[in-house]
Amino acid sequence: MSLERFALAPDLSICRLLNGMWQVSGGHGRIDRTKALESMAAHVADGFTTWDLADHYGPAEDFVGEYRRRYSSEHGDAALASLQFFTKWVPRPGPMTGPVASAAVATSQRRMAATTLDLLQFHWWDYADRRYFDALAHLAELRDAGAIRHLALTNFDTERLAGILDRGIGIVSNQVQFSLIDRRPEVRMAPWCREHGVHLLAYGAVCGGLLSERYLGHPEPRGSALDTVSLQKYKRMVDAWGGWGLFQELLTVLSSIAARHGVSIPTVSVRWVLDRPGVAGVILGRRLGLSDHRAENAKLFAVRLAAEDLARIDEVASKSHDLFRSIGDCGDEHR
Ligand SMILES: NC(=O)c1ccc[n+]([C@@H]2O[C@H](COP(=O)([O-])OP(=O)(O)OC[C@H]3O[C@@H](n4cnc5c(N)ncnc54)[C@H](OP(=O)(O)O)[C@@H]3O)[C@@H](O)[C@H]2O)c1
C-alpha cells in the first residue's frame, strides 16, 4: 500500500498522515525512551516519514535528535533527508528580538541534531501583543539564512494569518484543530487558505481516541476514566459540540460507514478530515511504545467516502451547536 504524499512546498514532500509527538510529553502514560525510538523506526519503515513536535513537548526534540543520529549512521545523510521533522516555537510573552529568535532556533537545531529545521511552526498567545510580527520577521531572516527551510504557524486565526501574509512574510502552513466534531476551519480558515496557497495541518482528527469503537455504546466517561490529557481536552469539545447523546449518534453512523468500507471509525474520521479542501495532512498522536495503529492507519489511503456517507455524517452534524459562534475561529480555544 503506498501512502499518500503532498508537496507542502516544492522542496518539502510530506506523508499526509503525520506522527504527532505531543503524546511523549507526559499525561499520556509512561513513555519508555528505548521503546519509543523503536516505534519511531517502525513508523518510518512503513512510510510514515513525517513528524510533528514542539519545543515544549517534553523530550520530543531529544528523541528526534537521537533518532536522526542513528538513522544517519545506519542509512546515510541522503536517506535522512527523506524524513521530515516539524517543530514549533511557543515563546513566553516578552521582547521578540533577533537574539531571542536565534537562540530558540539554535536550541531546536541542537536538540534535533539538524542544521536546518524542515518547518518551524510559530505559536503566539496574545494578539493584543503585536510583537509576534517582530518574532516572525526574525524567523523569516533565519529562514533566508538557511537555519529554517520553511516557516509556518500554529493556531492562528484567519484574520491574523492574513495580516502576516500582508506584511510579505511567507507562510506555508497553519496547524489547527479539525475533526468531525470541530468543523470551525470550514467557515473561514480553509476557504481563505485555498485562495492564498497556505496549507492546513489538522490535529484532533480522532479526538484523542473518542472517535473510535472503544466509545461506541459506552456510558459517558468522566474523571479518571479519561486517562490521557488528550481525551480530557476533546471530551470538553464533545460537550460543547452537542453532548454524549449526539456523539453516540455520530459514532453509530460512523460505525456503519466503517463496516461498509471494511475499516474502523478512526479511519473514516481521519479520511473525512484529509478530504476537506485545504487540508494537506492530518497529525495523529502517537503513544510511542504504548500503542500502535500503523496497520489500520495504512488502510486510510485505500478508502474513498461516498456522497451518501458524507450526507449521513452531515445529517448528525446538523444537530450540533455552532462552535464557530460559541468558541470563535481556529485557535480561539487557546486564548
Ligand atoms: N498545535 C497544537 O496546539 C496541537 C494541539 C494538539 C495536538 N497537536 C498535534 O497533533 C497530534 C495529535 O494529538 P491529539 O491530541 O490531537 O490526538 P489524536 O490524534 O486525536 O488522538 C490520538 C489517540 O487516538 C487513539 N486512537 C484510536 N484509534 C486510533 C487509530 N486508528 N489511529 C491512531 N490513533 C488512534 C490513540 O489512543 P491509544 O494510544 O490509547 O490507542 C492515540 O493516542 C499531537 O501529537 C501533536 O503533534 C497540536
Side-chain angles (χ1 to χ4, degrees), residues 203-224:
Y203 64 82
V206 295
C207 291
L210 290 174
L211 280 167
S212 71
E213 281 71 9
R214 190 174 155 201
Y215 290 93
L216 177 64
H218 196 288
E220 182 165 0
R222 296 174 197 274
S224 59

Side-chain angles (χ1 to χ4, degrees), residues 89 91-98 100-101 122 124 131-132 134-135 138:
W89 182 32
R92 294 212 186 95
M96 290 291 116
T97 62
V100 167
F122 177 71
W124 190 252
R131 287 178 291 187
Y132 64 92
D134 301 339
H138 294 308

Side-chain angles (χ1 to χ4, degrees), residues 19-23 28 52-53 57 88 123 154-155 175 202-209 211-212 214 228 230 233-234 264 266-267 283-287 291 293 296-297 334:
N19 307 304
M21 294 185 78
W22 177 41
Q23 278 67 12
H28 289 89
D52 178 72
L53 55 151
Y57 286 0
K88 306 185 189 83
H123 177 95
T154 177
N155 293 315
Q175 184 178 136
Y203 64 82
V206 295
C207 291
L211 280 167
S212 71
R214 190 174 155 201
T228 67
S230 186
K233 166 183 162 135
Y234 295 115
S264 66
T267 299
I283 308 164
L284 275 181
R286 302 297 194 193
R287 295 205 302 154
S291 64
H293 298 279
E296 175 63 22
N297 292 160
H334 293 281

Side-chain angles (χ1 to χ4, degrees), residues 11-30:
D11 62 346
L12 188 58
S13 160
I14 64 167
C15 176
R16 292 196 73 204
L17 195 61
L18 294 87
N19 307 304
M21 294 185 78
W22 177 41
Q23 278 67 12
V24 306
S25 69
H28 289 89
R30 208 184 78 77

